[in-house]
């Protein structure tokens, strides 16, 4: 591509020269795959599997939360309708004893009311999930310069949603590194991670799809012990945490679909009634 | 068509009010008894759909504004909080976000119906121009609304579009700084966009009133494009068109609801779920789907200022449309050649939309560029496709419309709404065609 074109494009749409220069240079990744059997929360009638959400929360809490914040999540969300630990006996999730005990195990920062000193205290359901790092530089410093993204809406923020998360952490790290690819120190090759590995490619043919990710393989067989005795394979952990993150990205999506069904039926009946009114009113008009 | 009033006050209060403020008479004459051509098809229902969408956007928007925080640090989270913690906030927010797309979908159908049936022609030029004003205001409103959630695409879209003003010679930079309220898109920009985003819909509503006023002077055009001759050609707006529009509105709402309840994010960009970060530029900055064709025209030109001018010209050309079209025949039912060119124009808009969504140097055919450079870009690239599309876009208005009206031979046009074409002697199957200048 000529320099002139680059310049022209930069002028034409500002900053879009960036796109122009990189669009053809890969930036491709493997199409994310859903686990076999798909997601049971897919489709207009899909619902979350509560046991799966509970396992997924455990994976997040014991593995992901070491580096990834979920700034939009409160412990009470876990006990709200449609949440992993919803109990109809406690319509106010702040009263849910299980959620209370989950929160109590986590320490959050607070200010001592009498002295004004910063203190740590056990969380309550009204507290946010605490962030693992106090600020962005601290997060980067602990992760080799990379910033672990907030996971609150990650399922909506990535093309492919839960299938992307499942593929990235459940399948991608198991894929063998293609011969001829030099993986930089502190990085890991993942075919589902959007990136460009062409500069590190010395093999035959076009560079493989995928990218170098700074996150080490987070999951391992048996790393999380599931309370319901579900075998703790990497794929199981990935599947469950992806479902949990899909729920967390929009905790009211079951409510949305249920409300939608009523709205669609209502609108459909209204449409039929109005159609027959239309036919009746117009029956004597030749047009 | 307007003028004579059929309203008769029935109660003492109505008579009293009618001599002081004849508002009931006004409502009756404009919304109930208004004589409307009886042959309007479903393409004419989109005016009602648009009025409803404006209403939905205003009502949902007012509720959202009660919970939204226009601050760079809180805007993103406040939108999420509306979805998570506000009662039915998810419903209101999804209705508003998808409502914008539905609003534009309806306005595009409405505009293309105008182009096909020649509704912009005399005596409806002012009606058409007011419609163009509404469309322009809608674009500005939608653009500012898209900035408010303060995601990555919100922020970088705002940067790209506001920077376009900077292409103006001499004053460009000062105007951009003035618009931003600083030296970059930042908190003051977000605040004023929020303020203006709240204001604009009411301005639109005002122009809509003028639009309806301008409609009610000449009355509706109709699929035959001929003037209403007598009362036999019309039916009162209510109940005939309230029920027909009502049915169309219900069908439209079914589609709208499908998006809101089952695929609320499908029309948006995933990257807008990432909080705005001025230091990280997304790889592909693209506007929402309804602005893609203009974005493609902007990028088709290698010179930034020319690109900006051409992009605005693409909208400006609509304003002078009534004087570019030289054909006196309104409806394209009787203009087969014009129909063909309009079809290609529709296709060109879709192609431009496709070009706007993809990076400029991406190949069209296959995965490799052809290697043949035409001027500054590979011939097999989005750049050249968008240039062809943009060329046709302008050629359609500036060449096809004026020339075709003078050269084409339209089919025989019926005398009136109630009479079929063949009953008219001039349309006898002897091949005698209506002269183009003959008013339908």
């Amino acid at each position: 591509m000529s320099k002139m074109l680059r310049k022209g494009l930069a002028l034409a749409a500002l900053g879009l020269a960036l796109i122009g220069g990189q669009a053809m240079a890969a930036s491709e990744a493997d199409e994310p795959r859903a686990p076999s059997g798909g997601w049971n929360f897919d489709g207009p009638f899909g619902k979350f599997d509560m046991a799966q959400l509970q396992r997924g929360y455990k994976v997040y809490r014991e593995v992901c939360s070491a580096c990834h914040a979920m700034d939009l999540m409160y412990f009470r969300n876990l006990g709200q309708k449609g949440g992993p630990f919803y109990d109809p006996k406690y319509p106010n999730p702040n009263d849910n004893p299980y959620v209370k005990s989950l929160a109590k195990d986590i320490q959050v920062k607070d200010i001592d009311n009498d002295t004004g000193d910063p203190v740590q205290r056990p969380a309550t359901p009204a507290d946010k999930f605490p962030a693992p790092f106090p600020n962005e530089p601290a997060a980067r410093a602990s992760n080799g310069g990379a910033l672990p993204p907030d996971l609150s809406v990650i399922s909506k923020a990535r093309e492919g949603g839960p299938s992307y998360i499942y593929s990235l952490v459940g399948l991608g790290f198991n894929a063998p590194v293609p011969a001829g690819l030099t993986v930089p120190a502190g990085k890991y090759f993942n075919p589902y991670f959007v990136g460009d590995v062409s500069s590190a490619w010395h093999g035959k043919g076009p560079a493989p799809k995928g990218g170098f990710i700074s996150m080490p393989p987070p999951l391992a067989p048996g790393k999380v012990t599931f309370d319901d005795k579900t075998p703790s394979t990497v794929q199981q952990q990935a599947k469950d945490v992806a479902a949990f993150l899909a729920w967390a990205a929009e905790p009211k999506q079951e409510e949305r679909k249920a409300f939608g069904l009523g709205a669609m039926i209502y609108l459909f009946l209204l449409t039929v009634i109005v159609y027959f009114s239309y036919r009746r009113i117009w029956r004597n008009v030749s047009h | 068509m307007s003028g004579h009033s059929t309203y008769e006050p029935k109660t003492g209060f109505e008579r009293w009010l009618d001599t002081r403020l004849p508002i009931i008479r006004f409502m009756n004459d404009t919304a109930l008894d208004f004589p409307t051509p009886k042959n309007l098809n479903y393409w004419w229902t989109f005016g009602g759909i648009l009025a409803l969408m404006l209403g939905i956007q205003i009502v949902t928007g007012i509720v959202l504004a009660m919970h939204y925080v226009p601050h760079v640090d809180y805007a993103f989270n406040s939108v999420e909080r509306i979805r998570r913690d506000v009662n039915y906030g998810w419903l209101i927010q999804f209705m508003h976000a998808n409502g914008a797309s539905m609003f534009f979908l309806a306005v595009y159908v409405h505009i293309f119906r105008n182009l096909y049936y020649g509704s912009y022609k005399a005596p409806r030029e002012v009606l058409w121009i007011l419609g163009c004003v509404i469309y322009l205001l809608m674009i500005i409103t939608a653009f500012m609304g898209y900035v408010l959630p303060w995601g990555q695409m919100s922020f970088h879209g705002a940067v790209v579009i506001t920077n376009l003003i900077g292409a103006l010679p001499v004053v460009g930079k000062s105007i951009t700084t003035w618009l931003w309220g600083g030296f970059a898109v930042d908190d003051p920009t977000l605040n004023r966009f929020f303020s203006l985003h709240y204001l604009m819909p009411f301005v639109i509503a005002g122009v809509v009133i003028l639009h309806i006023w301008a409609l009610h002077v000449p009355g509706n055009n109709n699929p035959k494009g001929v003037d209403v001759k007598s009362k036999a050609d019309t039916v009162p707006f209510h109940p005939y068109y309230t029920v027909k529009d009502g049915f169309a509105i219900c069908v439209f709402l079914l589609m709208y609801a499908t998006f809101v309840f089952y695929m609320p994010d499908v029309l948006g960009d995933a990257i807008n779920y990432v909080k705005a970060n001025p230091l990280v530029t997304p790889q592909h900055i693209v506007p929402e789907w309804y602005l893609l064709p203009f974005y493609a025209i902007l990028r088709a030109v290698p010179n930034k200022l020319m690109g900006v001018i051409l992009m605005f010209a693409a909208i400006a050309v609509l304003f002078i449309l009534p004087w570019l079209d030289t054909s006196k025949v309104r409806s394209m039912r009787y203009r087969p050649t014009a129909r063909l060119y309009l079809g290609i124009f529709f296709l060109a808009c879709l192609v431009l939309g496709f070009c706007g969504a993809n990076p400029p140097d991406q190949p069209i055919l296959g995965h490799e560029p052809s290697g043949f450079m035409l001027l500054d870009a590979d011939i097999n690239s989005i750049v050249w496709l968008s240039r062809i599309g943009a060329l046709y876009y302008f050629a359609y208005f500036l060449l096809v419309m004026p020339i075709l009206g003078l050269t084409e031979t339209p089919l025989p046009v019926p005398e009136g709404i109630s009479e079929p074409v063949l009953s008219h002697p001039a349309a006898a199957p002897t091949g005698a065609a209506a002269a183009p200048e003959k008013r339908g």
Side-chain angles (χ1 to χ4, degrees), chain A residues 1 5 8 11-12 14 16 19-20 22 71 76 153 156-157 248-250 252 255-256 260-261 264 271 274 278 281-282 286-287, chain B residues 38 42 77 80 84-85 90 94 163 240-241 247 250 258 261-262 264-265 270 273 283-285 295 299 301-302 304 359 361 376:
Chain A
M1 187 185 338
L5 170 62
L11 286 169
L14 281 151
L16 283 165
I19 297 169
Q22 294 187 347
D71 190 39
R76 64 177 159 81
V153 283
K156 283 176 182 275
E250 194 190 341
K252 300 231 172 132
E255 186 186 341
R256 158 162 67 78
L261 182 65
M264 295 302 281
T271 307
V274 176
Y278 158 64
I281 285 169
W282 280 79
S286 66
H287 63 288
Chain B
K38 63 182 185 176
Y42 281 111
N77 283 7
E80 276 298 325
R84 287 158 188 263
D85 290 336
W90 58 267
F94 280 141
N163 264 317
Y240 291 94
Y241 282 108
F247 170 61
C250 286
T258 309
F261 294 114
Y262 300 117
D265 294 313
Y273 277 104
Q283 208 176 15
H284 303 283
I285 301 174
Y295 194 52
R299 292 194 306 184
V301 190
K304 180 177 160 190
D361 61 351
D376 60 347

Coordinates of all heavy atoms in Angstrom, one line a residue, chain A residues 1 5 8 11-12 14 16 19-20 22 71 76 153 156-157 248-250 252 255-256 260-261 264 271 274 278 281-282 286-287, chain B residues 38 42 77 80 84-85 90 94 163 240-241 247 250 258 261-262 264-265 270 273 283-285 295 299 301-302 304 359 361 376:
Chain A
M1 N 0.8 -1.2 0.0 CA 0.0 0.0 0.0 C 0.9 1.2 0.0 O 1.8 1.3 0.7 CB -0.9 0.0 1.3 CG -1.9 1.1 1.2 SD -2.8 1.2 2.7 CE -2.7 -0.3 3.4
L5 N -1.8 6.6 -0.2 CA -3.1 6.1 0.1 C -3.3 6.3 1.6 O -4.3 6.7 2.1 CB -3.2 4.7 -0.3 CG -4.5 4.0 0.3 CD1 -5.8 4.7 -0.2 CD2 -4.5 2.5 -0.1
G8 N -3.9 9.8 2.4 CA -5.3 10.1 2.0 C -6.3 9.6 2.9 O -7.3 10.4 3.2
L11 N -6.5 11.5 6.1 CA -7.2 12.8 5.9 C -8.7 12.5 5.8 O -9.5 13.3 6.3 CB -6.7 13.5 4.7 CG -5.3 14.1 4.9 CD1 -4.7 14.6 3.6 CD2 -5.4 15.3 5.9
A12 N -9.0 11.5 5.1 CA -10.4 11.2 4.8 C -11.2 11.0 6.0 O -12.3 11.4 6.2 CB -10.6 10.1 3.8
L14 N -9.7 10.5 9.5 CA -9.0 10.6 10.8 C -8.8 9.3 11.5 O -9.7 8.6 11.6 CB -9.9 11.5 11.7 CG -9.8 13.0 11.4 CD1 -11.1 13.6 11.9 CD2 -8.6 13.5 12.2
L16 N -8.5 6.7 10.9 CA -8.9 5.5 10.2 C -7.8 4.9 9.4 O -7.9 3.8 8.9 CB -10.1 5.8 9.3 CG -11.4 5.9 10.1 CD1 -12.5 6.5 9.3 CD2 -11.8 4.5 10.6
I19 N -7.0 1.7 10.7 CA -7.7 0.6 10.2 C -7.2 0.1 8.9 O -6.9 -1.0 8.6 CB -9.2 1.0 10.0 CG1 -9.8 1.3 11.3 CG2 -10.0 -0.1 9.3 CD1 -11.2 2.0 11.2
G20 N -6.9 1.1 8.0 CA -6.4 0.9 6.7 C -5.1 0.1 6.7 O -4.9 -0.9 6.0
Q22 N -4.0 -1.9 9.1 CA -4.0 -3.1 9.8 C -5.1 -4.1 9.4 O -5.0 -5.3 9.7 CB -4.2 -2.9 11.3 CG -3.0 -2.1 11.9 CD -3.1 -2.0 13.4 OE1 -4.1 -2.2 13.9 NE2 -2.0 -1.6 14.0
D71 N -16.8 -4.6 38.6 CA -17.2 -3.4 39.2 C -18.7 -3.2 39.4 O -19.1 -2.4 40.2 CB -16.5 -2.2 38.5 CG -16.6 -0.9 39.2 OD1 -16.4 -0.9 40.4 OD2 -16.9 0.1 38.6
R76 N -25.5 -8.7 46.6 CA -26.9 -8.9 46.6 C -27.4 -9.5 45.2 O -28.4 -10.2 45.2 CB -27.6 -7.6 46.9 CG -27.4 -6.5 45.9 CD -28.2 -5.3 46.3 NE -27.7 -4.1 45.6 CZ -27.9 -3.8 44.4 NH1 -28.7 -4.5 43.6 NH2 -27.4 -2.7 43.9
V153 N -19.4 -6.8 32.2 CA -20.2 -6.9 31.0 C -19.3 -7.5 29.9 O -19.6 -7.3 28.7 CB -20.8 -5.5 30.5 CG1 -22.0 -5.2 31.3 CG2 -19.7 -4.5 30.5
K156 N -20.9 -9.2 26.9 CA -21.5 -8.4 25.9 C -20.4 -7.6 25.1 O -20.7 -7.1 24.0 CB -22.5 -7.4 26.5 CG -23.9 -8.0 26.8 CD -24.7 -7.0 27.5 CE -26.1 -7.5 28.0 NZ -27.1 -7.5 26.9
A157 N -19.3 -7.5 25.7 CA -18.2 -6.6 25.1 C -17.3 -7.3 24.2 O -16.4 -6.7 23.6 CB -17.4 -6.0 26.3
A248 N -24.1 -12.3 34.5 CA -23.7 -11.1 35.1 C -23.8 -9.9 34.2 O -24.0 -8.8 34.6 CB -22.3 -11.2 35.7
A249 N -23.6 -10.2 32.9 CA -23.6 -9.1 31.9 C -25.0 -8.5 31.8 O -25.1 -7.3 31.4 CB -23.1 -9.5 30.5
E250 N -26.0 -9.2 32.1 CA -27.4 -8.7 32.1 C -28.2 -9.6 33.0 O -28.9 -10.5 32.6 CB -28.0 -8.8 30.7 CG -29.2 -7.9 30.6 CD -30.0 -8.1 29.2 OE1 -29.3 -8.6 28.3 OE2 -31.1 -7.8 29.2
K252 N -30.9 -9.3 34.4 CA -32.4 -9.3 34.2 C -32.8 -9.9 32.9 O -33.9 -9.7 32.4 CB -32.9 -7.9 34.3 CG -32.6 -7.3 35.7 CD -33.8 -6.7 36.4 CE -33.5 -6.2 37.8 NZ -34.0 -4.9 38.0
E255 N -35.9 -12.1 33.0 CA -37.1 -11.3 33.2 C -37.4 -10.6 31.8 O -38.6 -10.5 31.5 CB -36.8 -10.2 34.2 CG -38.0 -9.3 34.6 CD -37.6 -8.2 35.5 OE1 -36.5 -8.2 36.1 OE2 -38.4 -7.2 35.6
R256 N -36.4 -10.2 31.1 CA -36.6 -9.6 29.8 C -37.4 -10.6 28.8 O -38.3 -10.2 28.2 CB -35.3 -9.2 29.2 CG -35.3 -9.0 27.7 CD -34.1 -8.2 27.2 NE -32.8 -8.8 27.3 CZ -32.3 -9.8 26.5 NH1 -33.0 -10.3 25.6 NH2 -31.1 -10.3 26.7
G260 N -41.1 -10.3 27.6 CA -41.2 -10.3 26.1 C -42.3 -11.2 25.6 O -43.0 -10.9 24.7
L261 N -42.3 -12.4 26.2 CA -43.3 -13.4 25.7 C -44.7 -12.8 25.9 O -45.6 -12.9 25.0 CB -43.2 -14.7 26.5 CG -44.1 -15.8 26.1 CD1 -43.8 -16.3 24.7 CD2 -44.0 -17.0 27.0
M264 N -45.3 -10.0 23.4 CA -45.5 -10.5 22.0 C -46.9 -11.1 21.8 O -47.5 -10.8 20.8 CB -44.4 -11.6 21.7 CG -43.0 -11.1 21.6 SD -42.6 -9.8 20.5 CE -42.5 -10.6 19.0
T271 N -52.8 -7.0 17.1 CA -52.7 -6.9 15.7 C -53.8 -7.6 15.0 O -54.4 -7.1 14.0 CB -51.3 -7.6 15.3 OG1 -50.3 -7.0 16.0 CG2 -51.0 -7.3 13.8
V274 N -57.0 -5.6 15.4 CA -57.0 -4.3 14.6 C -57.2 -4.7 13.2 O -57.8 -3.9 12.4 CB -55.8 -3.5 14.9 CG1 -55.7 -2.3 14.0 CG2 -55.7 -3.1 16.4
Y278 N -60.0 -3.3 10.8 CA -59.6 -2.6 9.5 C -60.5 -3.2 8.3 O -61.1 -2.4 7.6 CB -58.1 -2.8 9.3 CG -57.7 -2.6 7.8 CD1 -57.8 -1.4 7.2 CD2 -57.1 -3.7 7.1 CE1 -57.4 -1.2 5.9 CE2 -56.7 -3.5 5.8 CZ -56.9 -2.3 5.2 OH -56.5 -2.2 3.9
I281 N -64.1 -2.0 8.7 CA -64.4 -0.6 8.5 C -64.3 -0.3 7.0 O -65.0 0.5 6.4 CB -63.4 0.3 9.3 CG1 -63.9 0.3 10.7 CG2 -63.3 1.7 8.8 CD1 -62.9 0.9 11.7
W282 N -63.4 -1.0 6.3 CA -63.1 -0.7 4.9 C -64.0 -1.5 3.9 O -63.8 -1.4 2.7 CB -61.6 -0.9 4.6 CG -60.7 0.2 5.0 CD1 -60.3 0.5 6.2 CD2 -60.2 1.2 4.1 NE1 -59.5 1.6 6.2 CE2 -59.4 2.1 4.9 CE3 -60.3 1.5 2.8 CZ2 -58.8 3.2 4.4 CZ3 -59.6 2.6 2.3 CH2 -58.9 3.5 3.1
S286 N -64.5 0.9 -2.1 CA -63.7 0.3 -3.2 C -62.4 1.2 -3.4 O -62.5 2.4 -3.5 CB -64.5 0.4 -4.5 OG -64.7 1.7 -4.9
H287 N -61.3 0.5 -3.3 CA -60.1 1.2 -3.4 C -59.0 0.4 -4.0 O -59.2 -0.8 -4.2 CB -59.6 1.8 -2.0 CG -59.3 0.7 -1.0 ND1 -60.3 -0.1 -0.4 CD2 -58.2 0.2 -0.5 CE1 -59.7 -1.0 0.4 NE2 -58.5 -0.8 0.4
Chain B
K38 N -58.6 7.7 -0.9 CA -59.0 6.4 -0.4 C -58.1 5.2 -0.9 O -58.2 4.1 -0.4 CB -60.4 6.1 -0.8 CG -60.6 6.0 -2.3 CD -62.1 5.8 -2.6 CE -62.3 5.6 -4.1 NZ -63.6 5.3 -4.5
Y42 N -50.0 0.6 2.1 CA -49.3 0.5 3.4 C -48.1 1.4 3.5 O -47.6 1.7 4.6 CB -49.0 -1.0 3.7 CG -50.2 -1.7 4.3 CD1 -50.8 -2.7 3.5 CD2 -50.7 -1.4 5.5 CE1 -51.9 -3.3 3.9 CE2 -51.9 -2.0 6.0 CZ -52.5 -3.0 5.2 OH -53.6 -3.6 5.6
N77 N -21.4 3.6 33.8 CA -22.0 2.8 34.9 C -23.4 3.2 35.2 O -24.2 2.3 35.6 CB -21.1 3.0 36.2 CG -19.8 2.2 36.1 OD1 -19.5 1.6 35.1 ND2 -19.1 2.1 37.2
E80 N -25.6 1.2 32.9 CA -25.7 -0.2 33.4 C -26.5 -0.3 34.6 O -27.3 -1.2 34.8 CB -24.3 -0.7 33.7 CG -23.6 -1.3 32.4 CD -24.3 -2.4 31.8 OE1 -24.9 -3.2 32.5 OE2 -24.3 -2.5 30.6
R84 N -29.7 -2.6 35.5 CA -29.6 -3.6 36.6 C -30.5 -3.2 37.8 O -31.1 -4.1 38.4 CB -28.2 -3.6 37.1 CG -27.3 -4.3 36.1 CD -25.8 -4.0 36.3 NE -25.0 -4.5 35.2 CZ -24.4 -5.6 35.3 NH1 -24.4 -6.3 36.4 NH2 -23.7 -6.1 34.2
D85 N -30.6 -2.0 38.2 CA -31.3 -1.6 39.4 C -32.5 -0.8 39.3 O -33.3 -0.8 40.3 CB -30.3 -0.9 40.3 CG -29.2 -1.8 40.8 OD1 -29.4 -3.1 40.8 OD2 -28.1 -1.4 41.2
W90 N -34.2 -1.9 32.4 CA -33.7 -2.6 31.2 C -34.7 -2.4 30.0 O -34.3 -2.3 28.9 CB -33.6 -4.1 31.5 CG -34.8 -4.8 32.0 CD1 -35.2 -4.9 33.3 CD2 -35.9 -5.3 31.2 NE1 -36.5 -5.5 33.4 CE2 -36.9 -5.8 32.1 CE3 -36.0 -5.5 29.8 CZ2 -38.0 -6.4 31.6 CZ3 -37.2 -6.1 29.4 CH2 -38.2 -6.6 30.3
F94 N -33.5 -0.5 26.7 CA -33.5 -1.2 25.4 C -34.5 -0.6 24.4 O -34.2 -0.6 23.2 CB -33.8 -2.7 25.6 CG -32.6 -3.5 26.1 CD1 -32.7 -4.5 27.1 CD2 -31.3 -3.2 25.6 CE1 -31.6 -5.2 27.5 CE2 -30.2 -3.9 26.1 CZ -30.4 -4.9 27.0
N163 N -14.2 16.1 14.9 CA -13.0 16.5 14.2 C -13.3 16.9 12.8 O -12.5 17.6 12.2 CB -12.0 15.4 14.2 CG -11.0 15.6 15.4 OD1 -10.5 16.7 15.6 ND2 -10.7 14.5 16.1
Y240 N -61.1 5.5 9.0 CA -60.5 4.7 7.9 C -59.0 4.6 8.0 O -58.4 3.5 8.0 CB -60.8 5.2 6.5 CG -62.3 5.0 6.2 CD1 -63.2 6.0 6.5 CD2 -62.8 3.8 5.8 CE1 -64.6 5.8 6.3 CE2 -64.1 3.6 5.5 CZ -65.0 4.6 5.8 OH -66.3 4.4 5.6
Y241 N -58.3 5.7 8.2 CA -56.8 5.6 8.3 C -56.3 5.5 9.7 O -55.2 5.0 9.9 CB -56.2 6.8 7.6 CG -56.2 6.5 6.1 CD1 -57.1 7.2 5.2 CD2 -55.5 5.5 5.5 CE1 -57.2 6.9 3.9 CE2 -55.6 5.2 4.2 CZ -56.4 5.9 3.4 OH -56.5 5.6 2.0
F247 N -53.2 -0.8 12.4 CA -52.8 -2.1 12.1 C -51.3 -2.2 11.7 O -50.5 -3.0 12.2 CB -53.6 -2.7 10.9 CG -53.1 -4.0 10.4 CD1 -53.0 -5.1 11.2 CD2 -52.7 -4.1 9.0 CE1 -52.5 -6.3 10.7 CE2 -52.2 -5.2 8.5 CZ -52.1 -6.4 9.3
C250 N -49.2 -1.8 14.7 CA -49.1 -3.1 15.5 C -48.1 -4.0 14.9 O -47.3 -4.6 15.7 CB -50.5 -3.7 15.6 SG -51.6 -2.9 16.6
T258 N -39.5 -7.6 19.0 CA -38.6 -8.8 18.8 C -37.2 -8.3 19.1 O -36.4 -9.1 19.7 CB -38.8 -9.3 17.3 OG1 -40.1 -9.5 17.1 CG2 -38.0 -10.6 17.2
F261 N -36.8 -7.5 23.1 CA -36.9 -8.6 24.0 C -36.0 -9.7 23.7 O -35.5 -10.4 24.6 CB -38.3 -9.1 24.1 CG -39.3 -8.1 24.7 CD1 -40.3 -7.5 24.0 CD2 -39.1 -7.6 26.0 CE1 -41.1 -6.6 24.5 CE2 -39.9 -6.7 26.6 CZ -41.0 -6.1 25.8
Y262 N -35.7 -9.9 22.4 CA -34.9 -11.1 22.1 C -33.5 -10.9 21.5 O -32.7 -11.8 21.5 CB -35.7 -12.0 21.2 CG -37.0 -12.4 21.9 CD1 -38.3 -12.1 21.4 CD2 -37.0 -13.1 23.1 CE1 -39.4 -12.4 22.0 CE2 -38.1 -13.5 23.8 CZ -39.4 -13.1 23.2 OH -40.5 -13.4 23.9
P264 N -31.6 -7.5 21.9 CA -31.4 -6.1 22.1 C -30.1 -5.5 21.7 O -30.0 -4.3 21.6 CB -31.7 -5.9 23.6 CG -31.4 -7.3 24.2 CD -31.8 -8.3 23.2
D265 N -29.1 -6.4 21.6 CA -27.7 -5.8 21.3 C -27.3 -6.1 19.9 O -26.2 -5.7 19.5 CB -26.7 -6.5 22.2 CG -26.9 -6.2 23.7 OD1 -27.1 -5.0 24.0 OD2 -27.0 -7.1 24.5
A270 N -20.4 -4.5 19.9 CA -19.9 -5.1 21.1 C -19.0 -4.2 21.9 O -19.0 -4.1 23.1 CB -19.3 -6.4 20.9
Y273 N -19.7 -1.8 24.8 CA -19.8 -2.3 26.2 C -18.5 -2.2 26.9 O -18.3 -2.7 28.1 CB -20.3 -3.7 26.2 CG -21.8 -3.8 26.1 CD1 -22.4 -4.2 24.9 CD2 -22.6 -3.5 27.2 CE1 -23.8 -4.2 24.8 CE2 -24.0 -3.5 27.1 CZ -24.5 -3.9 25.9 OH -25.9 -4.0 25.8
Q283 N -10.1 -0.7 16.7 CA -9.5 -0.9 15.4 C -10.5 -0.4 14.3 O -10.0 0.2 13.3 CB -9.3 -2.4 15.2 CG -8.1 -2.6 14.2 CD -7.8 -4.1 14.1 OE1 -8.5 -4.9 14.5 NE2 -6.6 -4.3 13.5
H284 N -11.8 -0.6 14.4 CA -12.7 -0.2 13.4 C -13.7 0.8 14.1 O -14.4 0.4 14.9 CB -13.5 -1.3 12.8 CG -12.7 -2.4 12.2 ND1 -12.0 -2.2 11.0 CD2 -12.3 -3.6 12.7 CE1 -11.3 -3.3 10.7 NE2 -11.5 -4.2 11.8
I285 N -13.6 2.1 13.7 CA -14.6 3.0 14.2 C -15.7 3.1 13.1 O -15.5 3.5 12.0 CB -14.0 4.4 14.4 CG1 -12.8 4.3 15.4 CG2 -15.0 5.4 14.9 CD1 -12.1 5.6 15.6
Y295 N -21.1 7.8 6.0 CA -19.7 7.5 6.4 C -18.9 7.0 5.2 O -17.7 7.4 5.0 CB -19.8 6.5 7.5 CG -18.5 6.4 8.3 CD1 -17.8 7.5 8.8 CD2 -17.9 5.1 8.5 CE1 -16.7 7.4 9.5 CE2 -16.7 5.0 9.2 CZ -16.1 6.1 9.7 OH -15.0 6.0 10.4
R299 N -15.6 8.7 3.5 CA -14.3 8.1 3.3 C -13.9 7.9 1.9 O -12.7 7.5 1.6 CB -14.3 6.7 4.0 CG -14.4 6.9 5.5 CD -14.0 5.6 6.2 NE -14.9 4.5 5.7 CZ -14.8 3.3 6.2 NH1 -14.0 3.0 7.2 NH2 -15.6 2.3 5.8
V301 N -13.6 10.0 -0.3 CA -12.8 11.1 -0.9 C -11.4 11.2 -0.2 O -11.4 11.2 1.1 CB -13.5 12.5 -0.7 CG1 -12.9 13.6 -1.4 CG2 -15.0 12.3 -1.1
P302 N -10.3 11.3 -0.9 CA -9.0 11.3 -0.3 C -8.8 12.6 0.5 O -8.0 12.6 1.4 CB -8.0 11.2 -1.4 CG -8.8 11.2 -2.7 CD -10.2 11.3 -2.4
K304 N -9.8 15.4 3.2 CA -10.7 15.4 4.3 C -11.8 16.5 4.1 O -13.0 16.2 4.3 CB -10.0 15.7 5.6 CG -10.8 15.7 6.8 CD -10.0 15.9 8.1 CE -10.8 16.4 9.2 NZ -9.9 16.8 10.4
P359 N -13.5 -1.8 6.5 CA -12.3 -0.9 6.3 C -12.1 -0.6 4.8 O -12.3 -1.4 4.0 CB -11.2 -1.8 6.9 CG -11.8 -3.1 7.3 CD -13.2 -3.0 7.1
D361 N -9.6 -0.3 2.7 CA -8.8 -1.1 1.8 C -9.0 -2.6 1.8 O -8.3 -3.3 1.2 CB -7.3 -0.8 2.0 CG -6.9 -1.2 3.4 OD1 -7.8 -1.6 4.2 OD2 -5.7 -1.2 3.7
D376 N -5.1 6.2 -6.5 CA -4.5 6.1 -5.2 C -4.8 4.8 -4.5 O -4.4 4.6 -3.3 CB -4.8 7.3 -4.3 CG -6.3 7.4 -4.1 OD1 -7.1 6.7 -4.9 OD2 -6.8 8.2 -3.3

